[in-house]
Amino acid sequence: MGAFGRDTSNKRTRIWTRGSATVVAFVHAARKRRRTLVIGAVIAAVAAVVVAFGVTRYLRAEAATRVVNSYGSLSTCLLGAPLAEGELPSQRVRAIQLDAVTKSDLTRTGDAGAPWPDRCATEAHKLAEGVGASALADQPEGEKLLAAAKELAISLEQKSAFFSDLSAPVDALFGAATTANIALGDPGSVPAAPAGNPAPGLEGLGKAVVGGSLDLDAISSTPPGPALHFLVDDVDVPESPFICRVTVEQLACHRIAQPAAAAKGLRLHGGATGDAEPLVLAKAGVYRAATGRAIDEDAIGVAAHHLAGDVALAVTDLDGRLGLLEAEGDDTSKGTLFVSGDVLAAKRDVLLLGEHLFVLTLDGDEVTLHTARYGERGMGRLEKLGVLEGAAPDGEAVFPRVEGCSSSRSLAVRARVGERSYVSTWDGKAWTAPVPVDVGAAVFSCGAKGASLTRTLPSRDDSRLGAKLVHHACTEKSCAPSSADFGKLLVGEPGLAPEGLVEAVGLGDQVMLLWRAGQRGGLRLRLAAMSKLPEADDRVLLDDLRDGGNILAQSGISDLRVLPGDRFAALLISTARGLSVATVDADGKMRPLAAKWP
């Protein structure tokens, strides 16, 4: 036993010693494994963070690339070529709209697959998605760009986008992109915007003749002829009273001198030959426009004409008796005119057209046109040109009116009573028998072969396309009528129907139609022979919604008046800038004129 015990004790000791080493080794191994696992976990975690960071960075880099490229695509789609220095995006869009409003959806689509600007909504959405996924989304400028892209996309999705005011959302987006320093990336295969219309804005009219608001109806003018004159007598205009002479390329103005400037009710009623200036009539007094000197300070002038040289004629009305003033230099002679045995009680109107005098009388139910001619021996005797059958109105309180026109090739006169007119032309030796025509208010002008009467009639219903253009081409034998309503003139372009301003005049053998097209179509011109007018192209003379760098909410043209001349027309345009003058020639070319003052 003792031997076993010793052996056992030693064995146990040996066994325990070996077991202790094994346990210690296990513990160490376990600790090593834990360290390895911890280190592996840490490494894995770090790797995961690095990978996640790399992926995020890659995704954001990809989003940033999308932002740049989608911005380039949107710019190309909406604006076309990059903007010029100082050009606003809204100005480019507005210029493209001026052309787009004349086209159908199919025409605006072309080969692009969708019409402009509707197709650009997709590019705006892509830009918004790119910004939202990029690092920009966490920055204030990115938030603004994201909001602007979404708002523009919504605006472009509207069916009315091609004629709506997109100024605010367009400028907001491109402004936000500039603030965020976004470059124009590769637009890819996105179809570019169509070319814009190069029509000038109101700034294209140049410096106004005078500032302030004027009533254009209060401006008096000379009859249509090779040179036109107009007179402004308005106490609210500092330069008033003044007179201007308009030719196709020049505008010369000067203030009326004393004593004429102090006279009340200054107006023009008659023209001038060659380079002469017309006479100015007042409530009392007849004056020379060039010098302001009086021909007669007490006479009540009813018509006047300044002939070539220094000879001036004026017809006066004193106590119902017509008188004639003949002035040459400082010498003035006075005479009396007798009308058909001195018909003093008749209603009448008087016109001096060059050396030709006309007196139109309405006495009871008889309307008579009288004429006389001035020559070396003075004014000839008044004779009846004709009794105008059917002209007397039935109990209407109307007055007879007589007006004339001249060109380098024709001379004509119109007598009007109510809604009926009579046109007579000069054949070089005598006046032709008056030709009747059922036209009242109309613009009378002379062309190559005679005269014309042109007017627009309002629509009979609420449709602006129901307005009608009526034109009468008059020769020595007849006045041929023709007409076209705006529904025919603007087939497929209902959005260009007249909005307020409409003017039509005969210009040579053509008809010139000017109108403000809808709310956003600009001031448009159509010029052609009447038979070809429906097929003629429109031309935008002025973008009335653009003034310099500003896009206006409503038209900047408050009033428009057209004065027909010889192969050109003068446009008197009233804007917030004041009174501007431009001419349009027989080829449709517009020339803004800067006034020359002494």
Side-chain angles (χ1 to χ4, degrees):
M1 286 291 292
F4 180 78
R6 288 194 300 271
D7 292 340
T8 302
S9 175
N10 294 333
K11 187 177 179 181
R12 286 178 178 170
T13 301
R14 289 194 296 268
I15 291 174
W16 182 88
T17 303
R18 292 172 183 164
S20 297
T22 301
V23 169
V24 170
F26 177 80
V27 170
H28 284 301
R31 288 176 176 174
K32 184 177 182 180
R33 284 196 299 270
R34 282 199 299 270
R35 283 198 301 269
T36 302
L37 289 174
V38 170
I39 291 171
V42 171
I43 293 173
V46 171
V49 171
V50 170
V51 170
F53 176 76
V55 170
T56 301
R57 186 173 183 180
Y58 170 78
L59 291 176
R60 291 212 165 186
E62 184 183 40
T65 301
R66 275 194 293 154
V67 169
V68 171
N69 289 343
S70 59
Y71 179 51
S73 298
L74 176 59
S75 178
T76 298
C77 179
L78 193 59
L79 307 179
L83 295 170
E85 184 70 26
E87 183 182 12
L88 294 177
S90 55
Q91 292 175 326
R92 178 73 64 82
V93 169
R94 171 62 184 155
I96 301 173
Q97 280 184 325
L98 279 176
D99 187 59
V101 293
T102 67
K103 298 177 178 178
S104 64
D105 284 356
L106 182 61
T107 307
R108 287 188 292 116
T109 299
D111 298 328
W116 180 95
D118 316 40
R119 61 179 181 255
C120 304
T122 301
E123 309 307 322
H125 279 302
K126 289 180 180 178
L127 177 59
E129 292 170 2
V131 172
S134 72
L136 275 173
D138 302 327
Q139 302 174 20
E141 56 267 28
E143 294 177 356
K144 290 182 179 180
L145 180 57
L146 177 61
K150 290 180 177 179
E151 182 180 354
L152 180 59
I154 294 173
S155 299
L156 294 174
E157 286 174 335
Q158 308 305 311
K159 289 294 184 183
S160 60
F162 73 100
F163 65 83
S164 297
D165 185 2
L166 300 175
S167 302
V170 166
D171 284 343
L173 182 134
F174 285 89
T178 300
T179 301
N181 293 318
I182 306 299
L184 291 174
D186 182 8
S189 59
V190 172
N197 192 299
L202 298 179
E203 75 283 351
L205 291 172
K207 184 179 179 180
V209 179
V210 290
S213 177
L214 289 115
D215 179 7
L216 298 187
D217 289 335
I219 295 177
S220 59
S221 60
T222 54
L228 301 172
H229 296 81
F230 67 87
L231 184 144
V232 174
D233 185 15
D234 188 331
V235 294
D236 295 326
V237 178
E239 297 85 352
S240 177
F242 68 90
I243 188 170
C244 294
R245 182 177 188 268
V246 189
T247 62
V248 68
E249 294 184 339
Q250 293 185 336
L251 174 65
C253 304
H254 69 82
R255 300 182 68 171
I256 302 295
Q258 298 290 357
K264 303 297 184 182
L266 298 182
R267 69 192 188 281
L268 300 178
H269 196 313
T273 301
D275 294 332
E277 287 201 30
L279 301 183
V280 177
L281 307 182
K283 289 184 177 179
V286 178
Y287 301 88
R288 294 183 183 273
T291 62
R293 296 175 62 182
I295 291 177
D296 190 317
E297 291 185 334
D298 301 317
I300 300 175
V302 292
H305 190 94
H306 197 155
L307 298 170
D310 199 28
V311 178
L313 302 176
V315 177
T316 62
D317 191 332
L318 181 61
D319 297 330
R321 187 178 296 276
L322 296 180
L324 178 68
L325 295 177
E326 180 182 348
E328 184 170 3
D330 295 331
D331 298 328
T332 301
S333 62
K334 299 180 181 181
T336 301
L337 295 174
F338 295 92
V339 182
S340 295
D342 203 17
V343 183
L344 302 179
K347 297 177 181 178
R348 56 179 171 257
D349 195 22
V350 182
L351 170 70
L352 275 166
L353 186 63
E355 67 266 28
H356 300 277
L357 169 67
F358 295 91
V359 180
L360 179 64
T361 61
L362 171 59
D363 189 24
D365 60 357
E366 184 174 281
V367 180
T368 308
L369 182 61
H370 312 261
T371 185
R373 189 176 184 185
Y374 181 83
E376 293 181 357
R377 297 183 178 181
M379 184 66 71
R381 186 175 179 82
L382 278 164
E383 298 178 353
K384 286 185 180 181
L385 182 56
V387 175
L388 310 183
E389 299 295 339
D394 296 329
E396 296 181 26
V398 297
F399 288 82
R401 293 289 180 261
V402 59
E403 61 181 316
C405 65
S406 64
S407 73
S408 58
R409 293 162 289 179
S410 64
L411 196 63
V413 64
R414 171 171 85 133
R416 174 193 169 194
V417 181
E419 291 300 309
R420 194 166 176 82
S421 297
Y422 298 80
V423 177
S424 177
T425 57
W426 176 253
D427 65 8
K429 295 181 179 179
W431 290 93
T432 62
V435 175
V437 55
D438 291 328
V439 175
V443 178
F444 187 56
S445 59
C446 284
K449 301 177 181 178
S452 66
L453 291 161
T454 312
R455 63 174 174 172
T456 57
L457 299 176
S459 176
R460 295 182 178 180
D461 53 33
D462 294 334
S463 171
R464 290 180 290 124
L465 290 173
K468 180 179 290 188
L469 171 65
V470 180
H471 179 72
H472 288 79
C474 300
T475 64
E476 60 183 20
K477 295 182 179 180
S478 66
C479 287
S482 55
S483 64
D485 59 41
F486 277 86
K488 180 180 179 181
L489 293 171
L490 300 174
V491 174
E493 301 176 355
L496 299 183
E499 183 79 19
L501 296 177
V502 185
E503 295 283 342
V505 300
L507 192 59
D509 297 326
Q510 303 181 99
V511 174
M512 186 178 80
L513 177 63
L514 275 171
W515 78 102
R516 186 166 60 204
Q519 295 182 352
R520 303 189 59 79
L523 180 65
R524 293 184 175 253
L525 164 75
R526 194 173 289 194
L527 178 64
M530 185 65 189
S531 60
K532 298 180 180 180
L533 204 61
E535 292 77 34
D537 292 332
D538 298 344
R539 180 179 304 179
V540 183
L541 286 186
L542 282 173
D543 183 357
D544 60 331
L545 293 181
R546 185 162 63 86
D547 191 356
N550 300 317
I551 303 298
L552 308 177
Q554 59 185 7
S555 175
I557 299 177
S558 57
D559 202 359
L560 170 69
R561 184 173 168 189
V562 181
L563 306 179
D566 183 12
R567 291 175 287 186
F568 79 97
L571 312 184
L572 307 186
I573 305 171
S574 180
T575 71
R577 294 168 174 262
L579 173 66
S580 296
V581 178
T583 59
V584 177
D585 64 21
D587 294 324
K589 180 179 180 180
M590 185 183 79
R591 295 178 176 86
L593 301 180
K596 295 182 179 179
W597 296 82

